[in-house]
Amino acid sequence: MVHIIVIMATGLYVGMLPIAPGLWGSALALLLWSVCRKLALSIYVGITVGLFFLGLLVAEHAETIFARQDAGPIVIDEVLGIFITLTPASKLRLGWLYGFLLFIILDGLKPFPASWIDTHLHGGWGIMLDDVIAGIYASLILYTAISFVSKKNKLINRNCKQAEN
């Protein structure tokens, strides 16, 4: 059972890479997300919620296995954070990159309440929730940017058609 927990918590061992395990966990998440992005929204949300609860359990046990709070090799939280971040970006490839970068930046900055959670909550809840917050913030920024670009493109297309007539 310990072996299975380590495999899940470390994202198939990418969290064991010596440099920037969170970045590698996020990269793995991007790959997994690219497979799930075309699913029906209800299934996608179900997977994301299931990932949260699985992450709570796995991160809690992995922290004990690694004998460190929020141990670096635990990257299941980054996987969840990327899934949350990229929810509005399924059709825009450039949005995938922006979302990935936004999550990495916000996960590192830990804007409130993620910073509070990171220092005051421990175990599975502490490990998972700061990345949930970073993912929500990144998703909102990404959604806003996608909406802005989409409206701007519609306006440009409308103006071009009017100019042609």
Side-chain angles (χ1 to χ4, degrees), residues 2-30:
V2 168
H3 187 65
I4 292 170
I5 289 170
V6 170
I7 288 171
M8 288 190 286
T10 62
L12 304 172
Y13 298 113
V14 299
M16 304 293 269
L17 293 170
I19 299 172
L23 180 64
W24 290 111
S26 297
L28 170 69
L30 186 59

Side-chain angles (χ1 to χ4, degrees), residues 17 29 91 130:
L17 293 170
K91 296 178 184 168
D130 68 317

Side-chain angles (χ1 to χ4, degrees), residues 79-100:
V79 175
L80 176 63
I82 289 292
F83 268 64
I84 292 169
T85 298
L86 295 178
T87 301
S90 64
K91 296 178 184 168
L92 300 171
R93 291 182 191 233
L94 197 54
W96 306 354
L97 174 63
Y98 288 141
F100 178 81

Side-chain angles (χ1 to χ4, degrees), residues 119-146:
T119 56
H120 290 85
L121 290 182
H122 303 291
W125 286 98
I127 293 169
M128 297 301 289
L129 282 181
D130 68 317
D131 288 78
V132 167
I133 298 300
I136 290 170
Y137 283 157
S139 184
L140 289 172
I141 293 167
L142 185 61
Y143 177 78
T144 302
I146 289 170

Side-chain angles (χ1 to χ4, degrees), residues 3 44 58 63 71 74 88 127 135 165:
H3 187 65
Y44 179 84
V58 167
E63 194 175 61
I74 301 171
I127 293 169
N165 295 333

Side-chain angles (χ1 to χ4, degrees), residues 42-119:
S42 59
I43 294 170
Y44 179 84
V45 169
I47 289 170
T48 304
V49 170
L51 187 58
F52 173 72
F53 288 110
L54 176 67
L56 286 177
L57 180 66
V58 167
E60 183 82 28
H61 289 294
E63 194 175 61
T64 303
I65 293 166
F66 290 116
R68 287 184 293 178
Q69 285 186 346
D70 202 357
I74 301 171
V75 297
I76 194 166
D77 51 332
E78 275 80 12
V79 175
L80 176 63
I82 289 292
F83 268 64
I84 292 169
T85 298
L86 295 178
T87 301
S90 64
K91 296 178 184 168
L92 300 171
R93 291 182 191 233
L94 197 54
W96 306 354
L97 174 63
Y98 288 141
F100 178 81
L101 293 174
L102 275 170
F103 175 74
I104 297 298
I105 291 167
L106 291 171
D107 187 32
L109 292 176
K110 300 207 183 306
F112 183 82
S115 56
W116 185 91
I117 290 166
D118 191 52
T119 56

